[in-house]
Amino acid sequence: MSENDCTFGLWYDFRNPARWERSFSSLYAEALDQIAWAESLGLGSVWLTEHHFVEDGYTPSPFVLASAIGQRTSSIHIGTNLIVAPLHNPIRLAEDAATVSLLTGGRFDLGLGQGYWAPEFAAFGRELKQRPSLLEESVELIRRAWSGSREPYAGKRFTFPDLPVTPVPERTPRLLVGAMADPAIERAARIGDGFLSTQNTHHQSYLDALGRLGRSVEDARIYAGQWAVIAEDPERTWARIGQHALYQINNYVAWGAFGPADQVPQFADPDQLVAGGAFTLWDPATAVDELTALLRARPQIKDVHFWAQLPGESVESGSERIEILATKVMPQVRERLAADAVDAG
């Protein structure tokens, strides 16, 4: 694959809700086996996300998991979608990301966002209203650290003396930024090396922001998280796993991911999720059509990734969809896009 080809990947949060609880050691071990197997099928990326203080164990330590994944794989790209930057010391983020990059032969990119869940900010002594400046200064400090600069730093939120951060990465990770609100998307376009999107809703807003900033729209990079279930009989599969999706989405709504929790209603049942567009259901042929159309319309998309399994869903259940993605969707999408390239040439 060339640098310009779109990769297909998996998204993990490692949640283990009480309703479907199992041992975390088994969950981690089986997921690592799944990722190594997915790499053998041609999956090209793994994305890890982060939250803290969640009763179901939502990933609090994505760098540790990224390192473990790196040791079990040889080619798959690893990224975070995303780390809540304002909760962290940016120098520690730079050090951890550099270490993972070195351990994985440069297969790691660092995705950041400004966060939204108030209890996390309170627990870590951060102010929600300071999220924009915390994120911007974090990005600036991380870039300085990776460059090997000894220049001291003094900002609104952070100060750092004239000390080097070592070791520096041999292949500098991309700094990707996720956002959903317009001001945050504008910020992502200004400070990031690429855009982490969710549900394909904000691609044009991001490209428009790049244009206003005088940055190249053609060279933009979008990493598109998909909220889709691909199955031979998607309605039948949804009847089995829809409650897991309902749990996932309603938690995000309650935390304020899509706006103030007292203003955004939760979903009543799994079918309402589909009717409202929170999830889409595709059989393989529909998935090929939809993804081909998406990538034709947005050549800036460099990766599309899907939840490996929903919270509480078994790894075996998720693997059924991964195999369909790898064997019945990815090859056909690539074949159509390759034919487009030949026709255009």
Side-chain angles (χ1 to χ4, degrees), residues 25-308:
S25 58
S26 295
L27 175 61
Y28 287 151
E30 291 179 18
L32 289 173
D33 287 343
Q34 182 186 62
I35 291 166
W37 166 74
E39 181 184 61
S40 75
L41 294 181
L43 273 293
S45 66
V46 172
W47 298 88
L48 308 171
T49 187
E50 175 201 36
H51 273 299
H52 301 268
F53 317 113
V54 182
E55 290 184 1
D56 63 22
Y58 194 122
T59 312
S61 301
F63 290 118
V64 176
L65 287 162
S67 181
I69 292 166
Q71 298 310 299
R72 291 291 304 275
T73 58
S74 60
S75 61
I76 206 164
H77 202 84
I78 306 162
T80 53
N81 185 8
L82 45 70
I83 298 285
V84 185
L87 305 182
H88 297 270
N89 181 305
I91 297 301
R92 293 295 292 128
L93 287 178
E95 291 172 334
D96 286 345
T99 301
V100 174
S101 179
L102 291 165
L103 284 169
T104 59
R107 291 187 282 132
F108 181 77
D109 284 331
L110 179 61
L112 304 174
Q114 67 179 17
Y116 51 82
W117 193 34
E120 288 179 312
F121 280 74
F124 285 105
R126 304 296 198 194
E127 296 284 345
L128 275 171
K129 65 183 180 182
Q130 296 175 355
R131 291 178 298 165
S133 56
L134 286 166
L135 175 61
E136 291 205 35
E137 290 191 14
S138 292
V139 168
E140 187 175 356
L141 266 168
I142 291 166
R143 291 193 191 279
R144 285 172 178 245
W146 287 344
S147 75
S149 170
R150 295 186 64 111
E151 184 179 355
Y153 180 86
K156 288 175 64 178
R157 308 299 172 205
F158 300 104
T159 59
F160 193 73
D162 57 343
L163 294 172
V165 175
T166 59
V168 298
E170 294 169 0
R171 177 251 178 207
T172 303
R174 291 189 179 92
L175 264 173
L176 313 175
V177 180
M180 287 189 284
D182 285 342
I185 291 170
E186 189 90 14
R187 187 177 306 109
R190 177 164 49 83
I191 68 176
D193 299 324
F195 179 53
L196 296 169
S197 75
T198 185
Q199 297 173 319
N200 303 322
T201 305
H202 304 104
H203 298 168
Q204 190 59 53
S205 296
Y206 175 70
L207 298 177
D208 290 344
L210 288 175
R212 289 192 296 272
L213 293 165
R215 301 187 66 179
S216 172
V217 172
E218 291 73 20
D219 295 332
R221 304 186 69 88
I222 296 173
Y223 300 79
Q226 303 297 303
W227 297 69
V229 169
I230 304 174
E232 294 289 358
D233 186 340
E235 286 75 19
R236 182 177 179 181
T237 297
W238 188 249
R240 179 171 55 82
I241 69 171
Q243 288 295 329
H244 299 272
L246 185 68
Y247 172 92
Q248 181 187 45
I249 291 289
N250 277 344
N251 269 255
Y252 283 126
V253 172
W255 297 342
F258 307 113
D262 59 350
Q263 299 177 26
V264 180
Q266 295 193 17
F267 292 87
D269 56 57
D271 290 341
Q272 197 178 76
L273 285 178
V274 176
F279 267 89
T280 53
L281 308 182
W282 295 337
D283 61 25
T286 302
V288 171
D289 290 342
E290 292 287 343
L291 291 169
T292 301
L294 175 67
L295 297 176
R296 281 173 175 163
R298 291 277 183 262
Q300 296 91 346
I301 295 175
K302 304 306 178 186
D303 182 277
V304 290
H305 47 281
F306 301 78
W307 292 108

